[in-house]
Amino acid sequence: MKTKILITGGAGYIGSHTVINLLKAGYEPIIVDNYCNSEEWILDQLHTLTGEKIKNYKADCNDIEKLDTIFKNEQFGGVIHFAALKAVGTSVLEPLNYYKNNIGSLLSIIELMAKHSVPNLVFSSSCTVYGEADYLPVNEQHPIKTAESPYGCTKQMCEQIINDCLKSNKLNSAVTLRYFNPVGAHPSGLIGELPLGTPNNLVPFITQTAAGIRSELTIFGNDYNTKDGTCVRDYIHVVDLAEAHVKALDYLGDNKPSVSLNIGTGRGSTVLETVKAFENVNNLKLNYKIGAKREGDIEQIYAETSLSEKTLNWKTKHSLEDAMRDAWNWQKYLGTK
Ligand code: NAD
Ligand code: UDP
C-alpha cells in the first residue's frame, strides 16, 4: 500500500510541483488547502499532468476539528507542511494574520500528528532566517538573525516550535528545508506560481513585464557591493525544490535524525544576470530601469549545499536559464486562460 502524505498548501506554487514528484516516487499525496493563495483549477492541471485524481480537502489548517476528521480518515504516514502566508510586505501591515495563520497552522498540524501517531514532518522554512549573512555561502550553522519582517519571524518561530516539540517527543521526526529563491515552473507550462495582484518577487514581475501586464521592471538598486551592483540571490528551479521534499520524506522513512537543511543551488546570481538569462533563453528584450533600493533588501545570499546534497542524496539539475524558460512558458499559458 502507498504511504499517504498530507500536503498542506498542496494547490500552491511549491506544493503543486511536489505533488507530481511524490506520485512519481510512489507516495500518495493528499492535499489540504483553503485556496487563500491558489485556485481549485490547479487540481485539474495536476490531473492532466499525472493522469491521477489527487484526493483533496478544502480546509483551513487552523480548523483543528475539520483536520482531526481528515487525520482520522486518512492515516497519514507523513506531512509536508507548505500552508502559510508568504508576502513579506503584507506581513508588516498585517502581522496578526501572519502569526495566526503561520504559527496556528503549524501548532494544529503537530498536535494532530501527535494525536494520530503520524511520524514524519517536512517543513517549509526559508533562507530569510539567516538575515544578512555574516559569510557566504551561508551554511546551516550560521546564526539565526533577528527577523526583518513578521513573515521571517514566523519561519524562525516555527523552526523553534519544531525543535521544542522534537525534544519533548511531541513530534517524532522532522526535516526543515530552508528554501533559497524558488523560481520557474513545471516544464509543461501547466502549473506555476500564481501571484495575487502586483508581484513582489522578481521572476513573476519579469514575466508579467514581458507579457505586457506591467510596463517595466524596476531593478531595486545597482550600487550594492556585488559584481554588477545589483543584489545576489540563489534561484532554485521549483522542480528541483519539489524533488528535495521527496528525498526528505525518503530520508525520514529510513528513521534518520531530524535536521535543518539549505535548499538552493549554491550559486548566486545578480538581478541583472537573471534578467539577461530571461532575455537570452527566450530571445526577447525586457523593458527595465534601475530604481531605488528596496527597504530591507539583503545585499547577497546564496547557499552552502553540501549538507543537503549528502544528507538527502539530492542535487539540483536545472539551470537559471531552464527556470527562466519555464517561467515564461507558464506566463504565456496564463495569458491563454
Ligand atoms: P503559495 O502561496 O503558492 O502556497 C501556499 C498554499 O497554502 C496556498 O495554496 C494557500 O492557499 C495555502 N494556505 C495558506 N494558508 C493556509 C491555511 N491556513 N490552510 C490551508 N491552506 C493554506 O506559496 P509557496 O510559494 O508554494 O510557498 C509554500 C511554502 O514555502 C510557504 O510556507 C512559504 O512560506 C514557503 N517559502 C516560500 C518561498 C517562495 O519564495 N515561494 C520561499 C521560502 C519559503
Ligand atoms: N527585485 C527587483 N525588482 C523587483 C523585484 C525584485 O529588483 O521588482 C530584486 C530584489 O531587490 C532582490 C531580488 O530581485 O534583490 C529578488 O527579490 P525577491 O523579492 O524575488 O526575493 P527576496 O528579496 O525575498 O529574496
Side-chain angles (χ1 to χ4, degrees):
M1 217 170 82
K2 290 183 175 179
T3 307
K4 292 182 181 181
I5 306 295
L6 168 61
I7 315 293
T8 73
Y13 175 42
I14 305 165
S16 56
H17 290 82
T18 302
V19 162
I20 294 175
N21 289 41
L22 285 169
L23 278 171
K24 257 191 235 152
Y27 290 99
E28 183 184 348
I30 297 176
I31 294 175
V32 166
D33 205 301
N34 66 0
Y35 302 98
C36 68
N37 198 40
S38 53
E39 293 180 13
E40 291 182 55
W41 60 268
I42 294 296
L43 301 173
D44 301 329
Q45 303 295 90
L46 289 174
H47 184 201
T48 306
L49 274 167
T50 65
E52 305 243 3
K53 280 244 178 233
I54 316 292
K55 196 164 186 186
N56 64 89
Y57 296 90
K58 185 170 186 170
D60 192 302
C61 290
N62 284 289
D63 184 346
I64 196 156
E65 278 165 26
K66 196 163 181 183
L67 239 55
D68 190 26
T69 311
I70 299 171
F71 269 77
K72 216 178 294 164
N73 290 344
E74 299 295 354
Q75 316 260 310
F76 296 116
V79 177
I80 307 182
H81 184 45
F82 290 109
L85 299 174
K86 64 166 181 177
V88 175
T90 315
S91 80
V92 176
L93 303 173
E94 296 169 15
L96 276 181
N97 262 350
Y98 271 69
Y99 287 113
K100 231 179 357 196
N101 193 61
N102 294 4
I103 308 289
S105 62
L106 177 70
L107 294 177
S108 322
I109 291 293
I110 296 180
E111 206 174 314
L112 291 171
M113 288 178 74
K115 180 172 173 189
H116 296 276
S117 304
V118 179
N120 301 328
L121 174 68
V122 179
F123 177 71
S124 303
S125 189
S126 163
C127 67
T128 55
V129 300
Y130 300 122
E132 186 82 63
D134 298 338
Y135 56 85
L136 291 168
V138 65
N139 63 13
E140 290 82 352
Q141 280 71 52
H142 187 282
I144 301 298
K145 293 278 187 73
T146 304
E148 300 267 352
S149 67
Y151 168 73
C153 194
T154 66
K155 291 297 171 193
Q156 295 185 351
M157 290 168 83
C158 285
E159 288 205 14
Q160 184 67 48
I161 290 166
I162 289 169
N163 289 335
D164 290 343
C165 291
L166 286 167
K167 274 187 215 144
S168 62
N169 293 324
K170 291 281 178 274
L171 181 62
N172 182 66
S173 57
V175 172
T176 294
L177 300 179
R178 294 176 180 155
Y179 311 157
F180 282 66
N181 287 55
V183 290
H186 193 267
S188 64
L190 293 182
I191 57 168
E193 187 168 10
L194 270 181
L196 279 184
T198 309
N200 293 307
N201 293 117
L202 178 64
V203 176
F205 209 105
I206 290 177
T207 58
Q208 290 196 4
T209 304
I213 302 167
R214 314 275 153 212
S215 59
E216 68 182 345
L217 167 78
T218 302
I219 294 183
F220 298 141
N222 69 345
D223 59 351
Y224 285 100
N225 186 23
T226 61
K227 61 178 155 182
D228 60 25
T230 64
C231 291
V232 169
R233 296 289 184 276
D234 184 338
Y235 296 99
I236 175 169
H237 196 296
V238 66
V239 170
D240 286 329
L241 175 57
E243 185 60 14
H245 294 78
V246 175
K247 298 291 191 178
L249 279 178
D250 291 348
Y251 169 88
L252 288 172
D254 290 339
N255 292 318
K256 302 259 181 64
S258 296
V259 64
S260 295
L261 297 170
N262 285 346
I263 302 294
T265 65
R267 285 183 308 277
S269 305
T270 67
V271 178
L272 271 172
E273 283 171 341
T274 309
V275 167
K276 293 292 165 211
F278 180 83
E279 289 185 328
N280 290 342
V281 76
N282 296 309
N283 199 22
L284 44 79
K285 277 263 159 258
L286 194 75
N287 195 19
Y288 69 86
K289 66 166 188 213
I290 306 293
K293 286 180 175 173
R294 180 170 68 177
E295 205 185 323
D297 252 346
I298 280 160
E299 181 170 273
Q300 45 183 332
I301 189 154
Y302 49 96
E304 165 62 54
T305 55
S306 51
L307 183 64
S308 53
E309 288 176 5
K310 195 166 123 233
T311 307
L312 300 182
N313 187 24
W314 162 90
K315 218 174 170 17
T316 56
K317 293 183 181 144
H318 296 84
S319 65
L320 184 61
E321 283 72 18
D322 293 334
M324 294 301 118
R325 185 198 55 230
D326 295 335
W328 180 229
N329 272 340
W330 164 241
Q331 182 66 57
K332 285 189 288 188
Y333 177 76
L334 278 178
T336 66
K337 288 198 67 78

